[in-house]
Structure formats: C-alpha cells, structure tokens
Amino acid sequence: MVRLRFAPSPTGYLHIGGLRTALYNYLYAKQQGGKFVLRIEDTDRTRYVEGAIENLIHELKWAGLSIDEGVCLDNEKISEVGEKGPYIQSERVKKDIYNKYATELIEKGYAYYCFCSKERLDEIKNQQKADGKIPRYDGLCKGISLEDAKKRIENGESYVIRLKLPENRDIVFNDLIKGKITINTNDMDDQVLIKADGFPTYHFAVVVDDHLMNITHIVRGDEWISSTPKHLFLYEAFGWEKPTFVHLPTVLNKSGKKLSKRNDDASVEDFRLKGYLPKALINYLALVGWSPESNEEILSLDEMTAQFSFDRVSKSGGVFDVDKLDWVNAQYIRKMEVSELAKLVKPYLLEAGFIDENICPYRLELITKTFQESISRLPQIVEQSRFLFENVEIESEAVEMRNVAHIDILKETMIQELNKIDKIDEEVAKGFMKKIQKASGFKGKDLYMPIRALLTGQVHGPELSNILEILGKEEILNRLS
C-alpha cells in the first residue's frame, strides 16, 4: 500500500504552496488506494509559532483534505489517530526515538561526534565565503577516535553528531518529475544529525520518521532536491528500503518569483477570508503545475483524484494567477444552490448592516440569486447590492436619463400602477414591467433603461423584477419622489 505524508513545520500559517503540496500528496494517495498522513515537524523550536498546528489542521479540513492518519483536532485539542505515532516530532524526541539510530550510525562509521564551537564554525564559514567557496564543515572532528570522543563527552564537552559522507562519490536518484539527478558528495556537507540540545535536525528526523511510518513516496517542494542525496545516504547506511522521490515545481507569483508570505497574500487563511470557496481554491491550485489529460478546468476533488498523475506535473514553476482563480471561483458560485450560497453571503450582508439576523430566508435567497451571476468572491455581494440599501452615487449614464423626454411619463405611470397594489410579491414583480409598457406605450431600452436609472442610479444591472421585489412598494415610491 502506498503511504504519503504531508509534514509541515509549525512556523506560521499554512502557505498556499504548502496546501498544493498537501493536495498532490492527497490526490496520489487516494488514487492509489493508499493513506494520507499528516505529521508535524517541529524540531526547530526557535521558529515555532503558537497556534500554527491548529491553523494547519483547520485549513486542511476547510479545503476538504481529510487525513487517514496523523495529527488532528479533538474538541479543538491537538490529538492523533493512527498506530505509528507520535506524529509530532517533539513528542517523538521525548520517547527517545532518534538517539538509538544516531548511535547506530556512529558505530557503523557513518556518523561522528563533533566538538567544534559556534565561534569556530562561524569563522570557517566566513573565510570560505571570502574565498568564494561553498560554506561547509571542514571535517576537523572526523578523525577523532570513538574512544576519545566518548571521553570528551564524559568530561562534559558540548557536541553534535554529524553525518560522515564519503569523498567524491556521485549519489544518483530518479525523481518522478525532474528525472535523473546526480549530486557529488564533494558538493555536500557533513550535515548535523543531532544538535547540541539533543534534538534531531530535520534531515535526520525526516528519514527516521518516514522509514518508521512506512512512507513510500516523498512528495515535497523542489527546494529539497539538494538535500535528497543526504537522505538517500542515510537510507543506505541503515540498510532501509528507499522511498520514491517527487519534487514539485515552485508556486510563482505573476512576476515569476516564488510566492512569498512577505510580498504576497500567500496564506490559505488570506484566501479564505477574501471569500474564496474551498472547492474552487483546491480546483485552481491543482492546475498550478498540473494539467489533467481531459484538459478540463473545472474539476471536483473526486475527478481530480481519478485523473491525477505525476507525469503530467510540469518540471518548471507554475504561476499563481489571482485573476484566473477569481474566474474559477465565479464558476463555482454560479453552480451553487441559492440556499447554500445565501448562508455563505449572509455574514457579509450582516456586517454591512444591510440585513438583520432575522431576515426572512426567502428575502435573503432573493438578494443572493439577484447577484449570483455577478460576483466572483463572496464579499463582493456587499458592493454589488449596496444600491438597494443605501444612497449611492448616480452613474453618469443614469444622470443623462433625466433628459429623456418621456421619463416623467414613465415615472407617473409607475406611481399609478403602484397605487393599485398593496405590495410587490414575486408574481406582481414579474408582471409589473409589462403593465408599465402597456400603460405608457414605451418598450425595450426606452422603457427599461430610464426605469432602472430611476430605481437604482444605474442603467445596467440585475434582473429588474428581482430589484422591484427586493425594494418593495414603499421604497420604490420614495425613490421615484
């Protein structure tokens, strides 16, 4: 059985690129009948952000990506489901999972104790940079015997454990997207595996955890390509079966640069708060780097799962185009049941003060239906519908309608027809303009544009029968006067 994991670090809120990584892991796992695992990699405690784990779980759930195993929330408390936990690395540290594997590497000659101070390491790094070289550890402690190293540890010296890479060896692997990749060990560093505080580094913990959790495919961003040979060397050193590696192209902004938290609205929360639908965001995000064989653009999660394959993922970065996302979101909004959409737009109308909490469901759905075709994001209903609830600036084209010779005739005709009825319901609204046409003798643009201008301050807009019903008799009379 294939097993894939999404393993973010809780260093901030879920990034849109992280959501795409999670999505591709999810799609492949589900398509292959496998498991989608959520693991939290929090070994870097200096960058830990309070609440980040909860945010990650909430946003994945909002996006519709349900986990089969791993970290979850139970009554808003962090919990776990599955038999291969703990699924949070700091909890795995407490269970002393990593040290025995580090000791095994030392005994096999694949790792060594390093006693170099931070000051010495900084000095080496600065000198190498000045010489135009790639900063890397110079291997000073590699020659210390295991016996001497243990004595120094007994004497209380601070140490780290480093990977002992062979010199001038090509490490080759086949990536499902990038193809054959070769990196020489001379271009790599003797990576720290266990830090001075006893915590494993990412590079060590990720290999141990993936092995113990039986992860078969490592699907992650292509910024990790240069680290993959170190991970492969560790698999080899332990004699473990190597997983399949898949490195995804970067998500880029319109300028062709990596979508960043600093320069772009890049967190999933940003898009949720801006009124994007989760199904639409997931649909569009899947297409940023992947193209389905059917060439369809609107796909459900099940349809994406059925068509997904890594051989149709681009090798180069995919551009995240907000305008295209808006178009996709609009398609989903237009296909929604009005009753469902009404529930989603209600908070925005409430916040604007256009409605109250006890609004009649029929009226709320009528307002929603009126603007369903004209919004691409949920909050846009506020600006679209503002003319119904507030005095708004009259458009120049509508102002010109004052000069239409017969506008007073239309105005008086409307007043006469309104005085014949008690209220405007759906039936009255649908037949009202025909009565005005018959009574006034005007039709087409000569009828609709002046009346729309009188009622809304605009000459174009939603269905007039809906406008009439929403405004009601008294408000229409006020506007005509």
Side-chain angles (χ1 to χ4, degrees):
M1 177 190 290
V2 302
R3 289 173 57 85
L4 289 88
R5 50 67 169 177
F6 177 52
S9 298
T11 56
Y13 286 175
L14 181 60
H15 184 274
I16 205 74
L19 179 59
R20 191 192 64 170
T21 299
L23 173 60
Y24 285 4
N25 273 280
Y26 175 92
L27 291 175
Y28 190 76
K30 294 300 179 183
Q31 185 198 71
Q32 298 293 315
K35 299 289 185 182
F36 174 57
V37 181
L38 176 62
R39 187 173 75 224
I40 302 298
E41 299 185 342
D42 62 341
T43 53
D44 188 350
R45 304 303 292 176
T46 61
R47 298 176 61 212
Y48 179 83
V49 173
E50 195 68 38
I53 295 176
E54 291 86 345
N55 172 266
L56 285 162
I57 297 169
H58 275 300
E59 300 300 3
L60 287 176
K61 184 177 180 180
W62 174 79
L65 305 185
S66 57
I67 67 161
D68 299 304
E69 188 177 315
V71 185
C72 59
L73 288 178
D74 183 9
N75 292 324
E76 295 304 307
K77 291 185 178 179
I78 296 172
S79 182
E80 294 186 351
V81 58
E83 299 176 355
K84 297 190 178 296
Y87 295 91
I88 299 176
Q89 282 184 340
S90 56
E91 295 299 317
R92 296 174 71 78
V93 170
K94 291 177 185 177
K95 288 185 174 291
D96 201 24
I97 288 173
Y98 304 105
N99 280 327
K100 68 176 182 179
Y101 291 105
T103 301
E104 181 182 334
L105 287 177
I106 289 172
E107 290 173 352
K108 286 182 174 181
Y110 291 114
Y112 60 95
Y113 295 105
C114 174
F115 301 91
C116 292
S117 65
K118 183 179 182 301
E119 290 73 24
R120 180 179 185 277
L121 294 174
D122 288 342
E123 186 179 327
I124 295 168
K125 186 176 180 180
N126 292 333
Q127 186 59 53
Q128 288 173 333
K129 282 184 177 179
D131 295 340
K133 297 177 181 178
I134 298 173
R136 52 185 302 214
Y137 180 59
D138 63 356
L140 176 68
C141 294
K142 193 180 289 189
I144 298 174
S145 70
L146 185 56
E147 184 181 356
D148 287 343
K150 287 182 177 180
K151 286 180 181 177
R152 293 175 69 169
I153 292 170
E154 287 174 6
N155 290 332
E157 280 194 56
S158 177
Y159 68 92
V160 300
I161 297 176
R162 288 183 180 273
L163 180 65
K164 185 186 287 186
L165 286 169
E167 292 186 10
N168 195 28
R169 175 183 157 188
D170 284 340
I171 295 181
V172 184
F173 66 99
N174 185 63
D175 186 278
L176 285 192
I177 294 175
K178 307 291 183 178
K180 183 180 178 181
I181 296 174
T182 303
I183 298 179
N184 191 278
T185 53
N186 285 356
D187 297 321
M188 297 158 58
D189 197 10
D190 280 1
Q191 178 70 47
V192 172
L193 303 179
I194 301 291
K195 294 178 285 187
D197 60 6
F199 264 68
T201 60
Y202 164 81
H203 298 283
F204 185 52
V206 72
V207 171
V208 173
D209 290 345
D210 284 337
H211 170 71
L212 295 179
M213 294 181 186
N214 301 125
I215 301 302
T216 61
H217 293 70
I218 310 297
V219 181
R220 58 192 181 189
D222 58 10
E223 67 269 23
W224 295 107
I225 286 178
S226 61
S227 301
T228 302
K230 300 174 189 175
H231 302 166
L232 284 167
F233 184 75
L234 282 169
Y235 277 99
E236 180 183 312
F238 284 120
W240 294 340
E241 184 178 352
K242 299 171 185 175
T244 300
F245 285 91
V246 186
H247 289 94
L248 305 175
T250 306
V251 179
L252 308 172
N253 61 22
K254 278 190 172 182
S255 301
K257 297 179 180 178
K258 183 177 180 179
L259 199 68
S260 69
K261 295 177 183 178
R262 181 176 297 176
N263 300 319
D264 306 281
D265 289 334
S267 77
V268 176
E269 185 178 48
D270 289 333
F271 290 92
R272 177 168 55 80
L273 294 176
K274 286 184 176 181
Y276 290 99
L277 302 174
K279 291 180 181 178
L281 181 60
I282 283 292
N283 185 162
Y284 174 67
L285 198 53
L287 303 177
V288 181
W290 169 72
S291 59
E293 199 167 349
S294 65
N295 289 320
E296 294 174 272
E297 292 188 295
I298 305 300
L299 295 159
S300 68
L301 195 57
D302 287 343
E303 289 168 334
M304 285 186 274
T305 300
Q307 294 194 48
F308 188 77
S309 65
F310 287 117
D311 59 6
R312 294 191 66 84
V313 174
S314 171
K315 293 181 181 179
S316 56
V319 175
F320 191 92
D321 185 344
V322 175
D323 293 333
K324 187 60 182 285
L325 171 60
D326 284 349
W327 178 84
V328 172
N329 205 56
Q331 306 311 304
Y332 276 83
I333 286 175
R334 288 167 192 173
K335 289 180 179 180
M336 287 185 75
E337 292 290 334
V338 174
S339 58
E340 185 183 352
L341 182 59
K343 293 174 186 175
L344 297 179
V345 299
K346 183 179 180 180
Y348 300 101
L349 295 170
L350 281 170
E351 186 179 1
F354 294 170
I355 64 172
D356 60 40
E357 189 65 55
N358 299 317
I359 185 173
C360 165
Y362 173 78
R363 181 172 174 79
L364 176 60
E365 288 181 17
L366 178 61
I367 295 168
T368 303
K369 180 174 69 174
T370 301
F371 300 98
Q372 187 168 10
E373 294 290 321
S374 59
I375 62 173
S376 58
R377 292 186 292 110
L378 299 177
Q380 289 176 346
I381 197 165
V382 172
E383 286 308 314
Q384 290 285 326
S385 66
R386 189 176 296 279
F387 70 86
L388 294 174
F389 306 101
E390 295 180 353
N391 291 323
V392 296
E393 186 177 347
I394 300 173
E395 291 182 352
S396 57
E397 286 182 272
V399 172
E400 292 173 9
M401 288 294 149
R402 291 175 177 169
N403 300 320
V404 173
H406 61 276
I407 194 162
D408 286 335
I409 297 173
L410 291 175
K411 181 177 170 182
E412 290 305 316
T413 304
M414 287 191 72
I415 293 172
Q416 291 170 13
E417 292 298 324
L418 286 167
N419 286 331
K420 293 178 184 179
I421 59 174
D422 293 327
K423 66 175 184 177
I424 300 179
D425 57 20
E426 183 179 8
E427 185 179 351
V428 170
K430 286 184 176 178
F432 194 78
M433 292 307 293
K434 286 184 179 178
K435 288 185 177 181
I436 303 300
Q437 178 182 325
K438 185 176 180 180
S440 68
F442 297 101
K443 60 183 179 180
K445 285 185 177 181
D446 291 336
L447 173 68
Y448 285 91
M449 290 180 75
I451 287 180
R452 189 181 290 277
L454 284 167
L455 298 182
T456 70
Q458 304 170 5
V459 293
H460 303 288
E463 182 68 42
L464 253 181
S465 62
N466 289 1
I467 301 300
L468 291 165
E469 190 177 358
I470 294 168
L471 289 175
K473 176 181 174 179
E474 295 305 317
E475 178 61 21
I476 292 173
L477 286 171
N478 286 338
R479 293 190 176 206
L480 291 174
S481 66

